[in-house]
Structure formats: structure tokens, C-alpha cells
Coordinates of all heavy atoms in Angstrom, one line a residue:
T2 N -27.9 -24.6 -5.1 CA -28.4 -25.6 -6.1 C -28.8 -24.9 -7.4 O -28.4 -25.5 -8.5 CB -29.6 -26.3 -5.5 OG1 -29.2 -26.9 -4.3 CG2 -30.1 -27.4 -6.5
V3 N -29.4 -23.7 -7.4 CA -29.8 -23.0 -8.6 C -28.6 -22.5 -9.4 O -28.5 -22.6 -10.6 CB -30.7 -21.9 -8.2 CG1 -31.0 -21.0 -9.4 CG2 -32.1 -22.4 -7.6
I4 N -27.6 -22.0 -8.6 CA -26.4 -21.5 -9.3 C -25.7 -22.7 -10.0 O -25.3 -22.5 -11.2 CB -25.4 -20.9 -8.3 CG1 -25.9 -19.7 -7.5 CG2 -24.1 -20.6 -8.8 CD1 -25.1 -19.1 -6.5
G5 N -25.5 -23.8 -9.3 CA -24.7 -24.9 -10.0 C -25.6 -25.6 -11.1 O -25.0 -26.1 -12.0
G6 N -26.8 -25.6 -10.9 CA -27.6 -26.3 -11.9 C -28.4 -27.4 -11.2 O -27.9 -28.2 -10.5
M7 N -29.7 -27.4 -11.4 CA -30.7 -28.4 -10.8 C -30.6 -29.8 -11.5 O -31.2 -30.7 -11.2 CB -32.0 -27.9 -10.9 CG -32.3 -26.5 -10.2 SD -32.2 -26.6 -8.4 CE -33.8 -27.2 -8.0
S8 N -29.7 -29.9 -12.6 CA -29.7 -31.2 -13.4 C -29.0 -32.3 -12.7 O -29.2 -33.3 -13.2 CB -29.1 -30.7 -14.7 OG -27.8 -30.3 -14.6
G9 N -28.3 -32.0 -11.8 CA -27.4 -33.1 -11.1 C -26.8 -32.7 -9.9 O -26.8 -31.5 -9.4
L10 N -26.2 -33.7 -9.1 CA -25.5 -33.4 -7.9 C -24.3 -32.6 -8.0 O -23.8 -31.9 -7.2 CB -25.3 -34.7 -7.1 CG -26.5 -35.6 -6.9 CD1 -26.2 -36.8 -6.1 CD2 -27.6 -34.8 -6.3
S11 N -23.6 -32.7 -9.2 CA -22.3 -32.1 -9.4 C -22.6 -30.5 -9.4 O -21.7 -29.8 -8.7 CB -21.8 -32.5 -10.7 OG -21.3 -33.8 -10.8
G12 N -23.7 -30.1 -10.0 CA -23.9 -28.7 -9.9 C -24.3 -28.2 -8.5 O -23.8 -27.1 -8.2
A13 N -24.9 -29.0 -7.6 CA -25.1 -28.6 -6.3 C -23.7 -28.4 -5.5 O -23.5 -27.4 -4.8 CB -25.9 -29.5 -5.5
I14 N -22.8 -29.3 -5.8 CA -21.5 -29.1 -5.1 C -20.7 -27.9 -5.7 O -20.1 -27.1 -4.9 CB -20.6 -30.3 -5.5 CG1 -21.3 -31.6 -4.7 CG2 -19.2 -30.2 -4.9 CD1 -20.6 -32.9 -5.2
V15 N -20.7 -27.7 -7.0 CA -20.0 -26.4 -7.6 C -20.6 -25.1 -7.1 O -19.9 -24.3 -6.7 CB -20.1 -26.5 -9.1 CG1 -19.6 -25.2 -9.7 CG2 -19.2 -27.7 -9.6
G16 N -22.0 -25.2 -7.0 CA -22.7 -24.0 -6.5 C -22.5 -23.7 -5.1 O -22.2 -22.5 -4.7
G17 N -22.3 -24.8 -4.2 CA -22.0 -24.6 -2.9 C -20.6 -24.0 -2.7 O -20.4 -23.0 -1.9
Y18 N -19.7 -24.4 -3.4 CA -18.3 -24.0 -3.2 C -18.1 -22.5 -3.7 O -17.4 -21.7 -3.1 CB -17.3 -24.9 -3.8 CG -16.9 -26.0 -2.9 CD1 -17.3 -27.3 -3.2 CD2 -16.0 -25.8 -1.9 CE1 -16.9 -28.3 -2.3 CE2 -15.7 -26.9 -1.1 CZ -16.2 -28.2 -1.4 OH -15.8 -29.2 -0.5
L19 N -18.8 -22.3 -4.9 CA -18.8 -21.0 -5.4 C -19.5 -19.9 -4.5 O -18.9 -18.9 -4.3 CB -19.5 -20.9 -6.7 CG -19.6 -19.5 -7.5 CD1 -18.2 -19.0 -7.7 CD2 -20.5 -19.6 -8.7
L20 N -20.6 -20.4 -4.0 CA -21.2 -19.3 -3.0 C -20.4 -19.2 -1.8 O -20.4 -18.0 -1.2 CB -22.6 -19.9 -2.6 CG -23.6 -19.0 -1.8 CD1 -23.8 -17.7 -2.6 CD2 -24.9 -19.8 -1.5
G21 N -19.7 -20.2 -1.3 CA -18.9 -20.0 -0.2 C -17.7 -19.1 -0.4 O -17.3 -18.2 0.5
A22 N -17.1 -19.2 -1.6 CA -16.0 -18.3 -2.1 C -16.5 -16.9 -2.1 O -15.8 -16.0 -1.8 CB -15.4 -18.8 -3.3
L23 N -17.6 -16.7 -2.6 CA -18.2 -15.4 -2.8 C -18.5 -14.8 -1.5 O -18.2 -13.5 -1.2 CB -19.5 -15.4 -3.6 CG -19.4 -15.6 -5.2 CD1 -20.8 -15.7 -5.8 CD2 -18.7 -14.4 -5.7
T24 N -19.0 -15.4 -0.6 CA -19.4 -15.0 0.8 C -18.2 -14.5 1.5 O -18.1 -13.5 2.1 CB -20.2 -16.0 1.5 OG1 -21.4 -16.5 0.8 CG2 -20.5 -15.5 3.0
V25 N -17.1 -15.4 1.5 CA -15.8 -15.1 2.3 C -15.2 -14.0 1.6 O -14.6 -13.1 2.1 CB -14.9 -16.4 2.2 CG1 -13.6 -16.0 2.9 CG2 -15.6 -17.5 3.1
G26 N -15.2 -14.0 0.2 CA -14.5 -12.9 -0.6 C -15.2 -11.5 -0.2 O -14.5 -10.5 0.0
M27 N -16.4 -11.5 0.0 CA -17.1 -10.3 0.3 C -16.8 -9.9 1.8 O -16.6 -8.6 2.0 CB -18.6 -10.3 0.2 CG -19.1 -10.5 -1.2 SD -18.8 -9.1 -2.2 CE -19.4 -9.7 -3.8
Q28 N -16.7 -10.8 2.7 CA -16.3 -10.6 4.0 C -14.9 -9.9 4.1 O -14.8 -9.0 4.9 CB -16.4 -11.8 4.9 CG -16.0 -11.6 6.2 CD -17.1 -10.9 7.1 OE1 -18.2 -11.0 6.9 NE2 -16.8 -10.0 8.1
L29 N -14.0 -10.3 3.3 CA -12.6 -9.9 3.5 C -12.4 -8.7 2.6 O -11.4 -7.9 3.0 CB -11.6 -11.0 2.9 CG -11.6 -12.3 3.8 CD1 -10.7 -13.4 3.1 CD2 -11.1 -11.9 5.2
L30 N -13.0 -8.4 1.5 CA -12.8 -7.4 0.5 C -13.6 -6.0 0.7 O -13.1 -5.1 0.4 CB -12.8 -7.9 -0.9 CG -11.9 -9.0 -1.2 CD1 -12.2 -9.5 -2.7 CD2 -10.5 -8.6 -1.2
L31 N -14.8 -6.2 1.2 CA -15.7 -5.0 1.3 C -15.2 -4.1 2.4 O -14.7 -4.7 3.5 CB -17.1 -5.5 1.7 CG -18.0 -6.1 0.4 CD1 -19.3 -6.5 1.0 CD2 -18.0 -5.0 -0.6
P32 N -15.3 -2.8 2.3 CA -15.0 -1.9 3.3 C -15.8 -2.0 4.5 O -16.9 -2.6 4.5 CB -15.1 -0.5 2.6 CG -15.1 -0.8 1.1 CD -15.5 -2.1 1.0
Q33 N -15.4 -1.8 5.7 CA -16.1 -1.9 6.9 C -17.5 -1.4 6.9 O -18.5 -1.9 7.4 CB -15.3 -1.3 8.1 CG -15.9 -1.7 9.6 CD -15.8 -3.2 9.8 OE1 -14.8 -3.7 9.4 NE2 -16.7 -3.6 10.5
G34 N -17.6 -0.2 6.3 CA -19.0 0.4 6.1 C -19.9 -0.3 5.3 O -21.1 -0.1 5.3
L35 N -19.6 -1.2 4.4 CA -20.3 -1.9 3.4 C -20.6 -3.4 3.9 O -21.3 -4.1 3.1 CB -19.7 -1.9 2.1 CG -19.6 -0.5 1.4 CD1 -19.1 -0.7 0.0 CD2 -21.1 0.1 1.3
L36 N -20.0 -3.8 5.0 CA -20.2 -5.2 5.4 C -21.6 -5.6 5.7 O -22.0 -6.8 5.5 CB -19.4 -5.5 6.6 CG -17.8 -5.7 6.4 CD1 -17.0 -6.0 7.8 CD2 -17.5 -6.9 5.4
D37 N -22.3 -4.6 6.2 CA -23.7 -5.0 6.3 C -24.6 -5.3 5.1 O -25.7 -5.9 5.2 CB -24.4 -3.8 7.1 CG -24.0 -3.5 8.5 OD1 -23.4 -4.5 9.1 OD2 -24.1 -2.5 9.1
Y38 N -24.0 -4.9 4.0 CA -24.7 -5.2 2.7 C -24.0 -6.3 1.9 O -24.1 -6.5 0.7 CB -24.6 -3.9 1.9 CG -25.1 -2.8 2.5 CD1 -24.4 -1.8 3.2 CD2 -26.6 -2.5 2.5 CE1 -24.9 -0.7 3.8 CE2 -27.1 -1.4 3.2 CZ -26.3 -0.5 3.7 OH -26.8 0.5 4.4
R39 N -23.2 -7.1 2.7 CA -22.5 -8.3 2.1 C -23.5 -9.2 1.3 O -23.2 -9.6 0.1 CB -21.7 -9.1 3.1 CG -21.0 -10.3 2.5 CD -20.4 -11.1 3.6 NE -21.5 -11.6 4.5 CZ -21.3 -12.3 5.6 NH1 -20.1 -12.5 6.1 NH2 -22.3 -12.8 6.3
D40 N -24.5 -9.6 2.0 CA -25.6 -10.5 1.3 C -26.0 -9.8 0.0 O -26.4 -10.6 -0.9 CB -26.6 -10.9 2.3 CG -26.2 -11.7 3.3 OD1 -25.1 -12.4 3.3 OD2 -26.8 -11.8 4.4
A41 N -26.3 -8.5 0.0 CA -26.9 -7.9 -1.1 C -25.9 -8.0 -2.3 O -26.4 -8.2 -3.4 CB -27.2 -6.4 -0.8
F42 N -24.7 -7.8 -2.0 CA -23.6 -7.8 -3.1 C -23.5 -9.3 -3.6 O -23.5 -9.5 -4.8 CB -22.3 -7.3 -2.5 CG -22.2 -5.9 -2.4 CD1 -22.2 -5.2 -1.2 CD2 -22.1 -5.1 -3.6 CE1 -22.1 -3.9 -1.2 CE2 -22.0 -3.7 -3.6 CZ -22.0 -3.1 -2.3
T43 N -23.6 -10.3 -2.6 CA -23.4 -11.7 -3.1 C -24.7 -12.0 -3.9 O -24.4 -12.7 -4.9 CB -23.5 -12.6 -1.8 OG1 -22.2 -12.2 -0.9 CG2 -23.4 -14.1 -2.3
F44 N -25.9 -11.7 -3.5 CA -27.0 -12.0 -4.3 C -27.1 -11.2 -5.6 O -27.5 -11.9 -6.7 CB -28.2 -11.8 -3.5 CG -28.4 -12.6 -2.4 CD1 -29.2 -12.1 -1.3 CD2 -28.1 -13.9 -2.3 CE1 -29.4 -12.9 -0.1 CE2 -28.2 -14.7 -1.3 CZ -28.9 -14.2 -0.1

């Protein structure tokens, strides 16, 4: 919600999809040794 913008519902939807894309991207692209730090990179 904060990423997309608190001003409306459209921002929440955009923020949700962006956060999902980032999370999956980190899961697929990070080396095995850095997967434990996926959330840190995402944040």
C-alpha cells in the first residue's frame, strides 16, 4: 500500500503486483547463498 500510494485503491493494486514481481525475481535471480537475504534485498 505504501509503495503504490495511500491515495487510492489503484495504488494498492500496483504496489501489490510490483512487490510480487520483486519477491519472485529475487527468488529466481539471487545466488543460492544469498536466498536467505531475499527479504532484505526486496526491502
Side-chain angles (χ1 to χ4, degrees):
T2 305
V3 172
I4 292 175
M7 304 288 282
S8 60
L10 303 187
S11 297
I14 297 171
V15 171
Y18 278 105
L19 176 61
L20 187 58
L23 283 175
T24 302
V25 174
M27 292 295 173
Q28 180 71 35
L29 294 175
L30 298 176
L31 284 178
Q33 189 67 33
L35 294 178
L36 282 180
D37 290 340
Y38 304 98
R39 180 189 63 187
D40 290 343
F42 285 107
T43 301
F44 291 149

